[in-house]
Amino acid sequence: MIFRSTSFFTKQLFAVLSVNFLSLCLVAGLLYSNFISDYKNNLVNVLSSQSKLLASASRSSVLFNDAQSTQDLLFAASQLQATLTAKVYDAEFNLFAEYSREGVFDLTSPQQLPLGETFKDDALYFVEPVVFDQQIIGFLMLSASTDSLDSQQHQALLVVIGVLLLSMLLSYLLNFRLQKLFTSPIDKLISLIRKVAKSREYHTRLPEVRNDELGELFSGLNDILATVENHQEQLKAHNTELESLVELRTRQLYQRANYDALTHLPNRHLFVEQIELAINKANKTRSPLAVMFLDLDRFKLINDSLGHDIGDKVLVEVSKKLTEIVVKQDRVSRWGGDEFVVMVEELHSKDDLSYLANHIIASLSEPMLIEGHQLHISTSIGIAVYETQEENGISLLKHADTSMYHAKEQGPGQFCFFNDGMLENSMNRLSLEGQLRHALKLEDAFTMVYQPQICANTGHIKGMEALIRWQNAEGNYIPPSDFIPIAEEAGLINLLSVWILNRVSAQMNHWRTQGVPLVPVAINLPACFITQLDCAEQIADIMASNNIPPELIEVELTENTFISSTEFALTSLKKLKKLGFKVSIDDFGTGYSCLSYISTLPIDKLKIDGSFVQKLGKSKSNDGIVSAIVMLAKGLNLVTVGECVETEDQLIQLREMGCDIIQGYYYHPPLHVDAAAKLMLDTHQT
């Protein structure tokens, strides 16, 4: 990493010196090796000559066993400075005569060494045979010290190192000077580039003109600087305009990111920031804080019937009214769709919040005249008060949203304060949703029961309504009124509808194989299933899989299905009628009926809601509504069904009004499959 950060000059100098150093080391090594080799060979040659001379001279004394003469001869030969020992052995390697320098004890025998020279233990040994008449009569062994060789090696090494260092110094000085000479123009180029990069001034030029490659580089750089300088002048000319445009776009982006485009109120993102700041303030100053979550009632009806343009103008009018009602220090935000949020900081008690909620409900309930349409809307309000530091902005909004749904359950134009019981209820709903998801994966978690529909005049069975039942894993019975809304909210209702269609189809096929005479079966389907583009095809395929004729299936849907999505529902119903299925409207009279389109719907039956049937004989207005529904059905040639009939008085009144079919506990509760089959068989036999 350090080498990478060094300058190009240093790297280049290092590379040259490295090459020089390696070359000099190679030459010095060769010279040193050659010198030492020559000196060693010289030492060996001297010892070899002396050995041959002494071996020749000692031949007679060895032959005649004259040890004294041999001893004198060896002593005379020992005058050579490097000689350590001189020994003569007979042919059986017995010591015959010897000489050893003072302090030298050498036990080496010629048996341990080959003939000739041997380097061993810092000494040079030379073994020479004593020959007479081509027979070896003894051996001469000389040993010499190698101190002189070591001394010569040391001196040679010092000389080589000295020469190497001197050569490297000269090489460094020479290359340093040459590199400075070569890199000086490049340094100027780098200096100019750094200056331009730092100062952003492009008028500086390289003054030198060269005829080599660097000259071409300098000329090209000067041209680049001239071009950049020209562009810089052009950019400066547009800089003011660009800055003003960026400032404008920044303001626009901030507006779009933090404010609703339609109502110009703070949006969800900005409101969450505001509420977190308000909570921090409330924690520091112990000041009260509350959030009101508003949802407009029946707003979807306005959108679907009058169009989104009218709906948008309603939202703008609502935002104006809220802004006028809420004091300056409080905040109003459009949360999304037809939902608004109000943050209230200056309050003294819950009564203040109740007063404000009633004021908002009353103001929004006043008629709105928009493009010639006099519109009436209401709002449901959920209120959550910040009471503990453990809460944050998101949880406070969640509590307000939860209480808003509880307010909706009480009817339009209501408000409700949050309490912990609501949160527990939400947790129960979440738990129930989990159980429902698990149940849909099982084969027989749900069961179907069938409630007979009886002819009001003859008492014969005319059909049945299929009703779903659910007993969870703990064995608890879960009413449809509890799990059906959860299935709709969780997006599971279509899966459940397909399961019901398959189960009813399979059950009718099973009855047929048992010889049970079939009657039409009504199946209640939700709006989201009916409004699917392939709804009719799905139903037809399921029934065809068990060879169930379309005329034996009656599709029930609520009146609100048309209110929420008239066009798509009407398309599906027309397809169903064309395929031969019957269609009925359930809970008629409870929705926001528009009688003008009832006559255009491809339906066969109107089912009078049980809430009207239960009040028969108790209210003249209620009796009038039921009678009007029956008369409307007669006028449109539709069959009427009275639901939830439990008493004989209810039966008599419906029969007198002309109601065609009776359904309820007065005749039969919902029956299990065996009881339903028995009823159909008994009716057929009678």
Side-chain angles (χ1 to χ4, degrees), residues 486-530:
I486 293 176
E488 291 177 342
E489 292 176 12
L492 303 173
I493 192 64
N494 285 350
L495 290 175
L496 193 59
S497 299
V498 171
W499 185 91
I500 292 172
L501 287 166
N502 278 293
R503 179 52 63 93
V504 171
S505 174
Q507 183 60 55
M508 293 180 71
N509 184 46
H510 182 66
W511 279 335
R512 184 170 53 194
T513 59
Q514 291 179 327
V516 177
L518 299 180
V519 296
V521 177
I523 304 172
N524 201 313
L525 296 176
C528 58
F529 188 84
I530 293 293

Side-chain angles (χ1 to χ4, degrees), residues 410-595:
Q410 300 173 17
Q414 301 293 326
F415 69 89
C416 183
F417 283 92
F418 173 79
N419 59 64
D420 292 335
M422 296 178 184
L423 197 59
E424 182 179 354
N425 184 45
S426 297
M427 294 301 295
N428 291 336
R429 290 173 67 89
L430 187 62
S431 173
L432 193 60
E433 179 186 334
Q435 295 179 48
L436 185 60
R437 290 182 182 277
H438 178 70
L440 282 169
K441 297 177 182 178
L442 304 177
E443 183 67 26
D444 296 315
F446 301 96
T447 57
M448 298 300 299
V449 294
Y450 300 85
Q451 187 168 34
Q453 296 175 338
I454 307 299
C455 177
N457 296 316
T458 65
H460 294 162
I461 182 171
K462 303 295 289 184
M464 292 188 294
E465 181 179 3
L467 302 170
I468 190 170
R469 295 293 183 262
W470 178 29
Q471 192 173 20
N472 64 13
E474 289 77 23
N476 298 321
Y477 169 73
I478 310 297
S481 58
D482 287 351
F483 70 83
I484 293 296
I486 293 176
E488 291 177 342
E489 292 176 12
L492 303 173
I493 192 64
N494 285 350
L495 290 175
L496 193 59
S497 299
V498 171
W499 185 91
I500 292 172
L501 287 166
N502 278 293
R503 179 52 63 93
V504 171
S505 174
Q507 183 60 55
M508 293 180 71
N509 184 46
H510 182 66
W511 279 335
R512 184 170 53 194
T513 59
Q514 291 179 327
V516 177
L518 299 180
V519 296
V521 177
I523 304 172
N524 201 313
L525 296 176
C528 58
F529 188 84
I530 293 293
T531 53
Q532 294 181 107
L533 295 178
D534 63 341
C535 163
E537 289 78 3
Q538 287 189 63
I539 296 174
D541 290 344
I542 292 172
M543 295 305 157
S545 65
N546 285 296
N547 297 316
I548 304 301
E551 59 268 17
L552 289 178
I553 298 299
E554 180 181 309
V555 175
E556 282 191 9
L557 59 156
T558 62
E559 188 178 354
N560 288 328
T561 301
F562 300 100
I563 296 173
S564 62
S565 187
T566 304
E567 181 181 350
F568 294 113
L570 191 59
T571 300
S572 295
L573 293 188
K574 287 180 178 179
K575 288 182 180 180
L576 287 169
K577 287 292 291 181
K578 188 175 181 180
L579 292 170
F581 294 96
K582 296 184 181 298
V583 179
S584 64
I585 295 182
D586 195 15
D587 301 335
F588 186 77
T590 58
Y592 302 100
S593 304
C594 182
L595 301 180

Side-chain angles (χ1 to χ4, degrees), residues 238-255:
H238 298 287
N239 188 44
T240 303
E241 180 182 355
L242 181 60
E243 287 181 354
S244 62
L245 182 62
V246 169
E247 184 179 355
L248 175 62
R249 291 289 184 266
T250 302
R251 289 199 302 270
Q252 291 175 343
L253 287 174
Y254 180 82
Q255 184 74 18

Side-chain angles (χ1 to χ4, degrees), residues 379-392:
T379 183
S380 299
I381 303 176
I383 306 172
V385 180
Y386 180 70
E387 297 177 334
T388 171
Q389 294 188 4
E390 295 179 358
E391 287 186 287
N392 55 30

Side-chain angles (χ1 to χ4, degrees), residues 340-359:
F340 294 84
V341 185
V342 177
M343 180 171 63
V344 184
E345 293 189 76
E346 298 295 332
L347 60 100
H348 299 91
S349 66
K350 284 188 176 182
D351 292 339
D352 294 339
L353 293 171
S354 299
Y355 174 80
L356 179 59
N358 283 318
H359 189 182

Side-chain angles (χ1 to χ4, degrees), residues 652-679:
I652 293 172
Q653 291 188 62
L654 287 172
R655 184 184 295 161
E656 290 175 350
M657 291 178 182
C659 182
D660 301 301
I661 296 175
I662 303 299
Q663 178 180 341
Y665 277 75
Y666 178 78
Y667 278 115
H668 297 283
L671 304 176
H672 290 287
V673 292
D674 293 337
K678 184 177 184 303
L679 177 63

